[in-house]
Amino acid sequence: GINWFDTAEIYGRGRSELILGRHVNGSTSNNPDSPKPLIATKFFPYPWRLRKSSLKRALKASLKRLNAESIDIYQIHFPFRPRSFEYWVDALADAAQDGLVKAVGVSNFSAEQTKRAHELLARKGIVLAANQVGYSLLNRKIESNGVLETCRELDVSVISYGPLAEGLLTGKYRPDNPPPFMRKWRWARKRLKMLPPLISLMSDIASGHNASPSQVALNWLIQKNTLPIPGAKSAMQAKDNAASMRWSLGNDEFEALNVATEQYLPTR
């Protein structure tokens, strides 16, 4: 049931796009009669990219790697300077009007930046489809900084990256068995000590649905009306992630998770 993939030109220096182009749009596609999944990719506003032509060149390079004639969803990866994000939004609108982009999105944009991007695109008759931001049970910042509220007001989809918090929400790691990227950091070990009660709750919920803690984390985001994009390093992980779409949290389970993670909801 997975019908779209998210990538970017900087993932593997283009290799991620090449692989998707080969297997989704290329000769190795398994079933040529089935609908092709959508592919979302991103433009990275490196500081040396100063002209609109930079976005057009990057877009055409992505199209070549993806073996496609147009990008299903093209996003600005970050609102980086020296160029203003408005400049790149305008360039993105031009690409959409040229037919090279089917849908327009942004990533890591604040509430105000999202509003401004929506306004600029609307002037050209283009819809802002999505804002891709970090969001998980352990990262609920967008609920308090206005991003989630703004996206809902403007009918902009929220794409949630980091939905499993770098593996912390899979139930695989414990204070005595931290993930590799955390083993050197004292602050990380301290954060892990706070996890067991949450993981215990997630495991209890998962057992009632013949599911996994990962599926609970993804299901929570789905019920928050967002689109989680979990990574997978194996077919087994991809299968497990996909199974989160086959069931739904009960209202009491959903609320229990909200209460258990209130500490990760910063005040304004």
Side-chain angles (χ1 to χ4, degrees):
I2 297 174
N3 61 4
W4 70 290
F5 295 91
D6 181 85
T7 186
E9 63 174 341
I10 66 168
Y11 297 168
R13 296 182 180 180
R15 188 163 180 264
S16 175
E17 290 181 330
L18 281 170
I19 292 170
L20 282 171
R22 188 180 308 132
H23 291 283
V24 175
N25 297 325
S27 57
T28 59
S29 178
N30 289 331
N31 188 354
D33 297 323
S34 63
K36 288 183 179 178
L38 302 176
I39 297 180
T41 192
K42 308 179 198 72
F43 164 78
F44 198 93
Y46 291 111
W48 55 86
R49 287 177 164 172
L50 298 173
R51 299 183 181 279
K52 291 183 178 180
S53 57
S54 297
L55 184 140
K56 185 69 72 71
R57 282 195 299 272
L59 172 56
K60 288 185 175 179
S62 288
L63 285 169
K64 184 176 180 179
R65 288 188 291 268
L66 290 168
N67 193 27
E69 294 182 358
S70 62
I71 300 291
D72 295 313
I73 307 175
Y74 201 46
Q75 304 153 95
I76 299 172
H77 209 144
F78 284 95
F80 279 165
R81 293 195 175 275
R83 280 296 189 185
S84 68
F85 71 88
E86 290 99 337
Y87 184 85
W88 295 122
V89 167
D90 194 55
L92 190 52
D94 291 343
Q97 290 178 328
D98 289 343
L100 297 177
V101 175
K102 294 178 183 176
V104 166
V106 294
S107 183
N108 298 298
F109 273 41
S110 69
E112 288 304 314
Q113 290 167 340
T114 303
K115 288 177 184 177
R116 181 65 176 148
H118 181 273
E119 176 187 324
L120 291 171
L121 290 168
R123 289 178 186 174
K124 295 193 173 186
I126 297 169
V127 172
L128 176 60
N131 185 7
Q132 184 176 145
V133 290
Y135 191 30
S136 74
L137 280 165
L138 294 180
N139 177 14
R140 296 177 59 182
K141 189 183 297 184
I142 67 166
E143 293 181 39
S144 60
N145 63 12
V147 169
L148 186 60
E149 181 182 357
T150 295
C151 287
R152 286 175 175 168
E153 287 175 357
L154 300 176
D155 197 24
V156 174
S157 296
V158 173
I159 301 173
S160 310
Y161 70 75
L164 300 179
E166 303 293 338
L168 293 180
L169 292 171
T170 63
K172 178 180 177 181
Y173 301 109
R174 306 178 306 276
D176 60 342
N177 178 37
F181 72 94
M182 279 190 164
R183 286 173 188 165
K184 294 182 179 179
W185 307 103
R186 184 177 299 173
W187 65 265
R189 291 195 296 271
K190 188 178 294 185
R191 188 178 182 193
L192 275 172
K193 289 179 180 177
M194 300 164 64
L195 268 183
L198 174 59
I199 296 300
S200 178
L201 171 62
M202 293 171 68
S203 297
D204 287 344
I205 293 172
S207 65
H209 295 275
N210 193 27
S212 67
S214 297
Q215 290 178 38
V216 172
L218 297 174
N219 211 297
W220 180 81
L221 285 166
I222 292 170
Q223 294 199 215
K224 285 283 189 177
N225 294 318
T226 73
L227 305 168
I229 48 172
K233 293 183 179 179
S234 68
M236 185 180 296
Q237 288 178 356
K239 206 172 198 179
D240 183 69
N241 291 339
S244 63
M245 297 186 289
R246 298 187 185 136
W247 62 276
S248 298
L249 290 166
N251 290 335
D252 55 337
E253 295 169 332
F254 180 69
E255 285 306 318
L257 290 168
N258 286 335
V259 171
T261 58
E262 282 179 347
Q263 60 186 310
Y264 302 113
L265 180 59
T267 55
R268 288 180 185 270

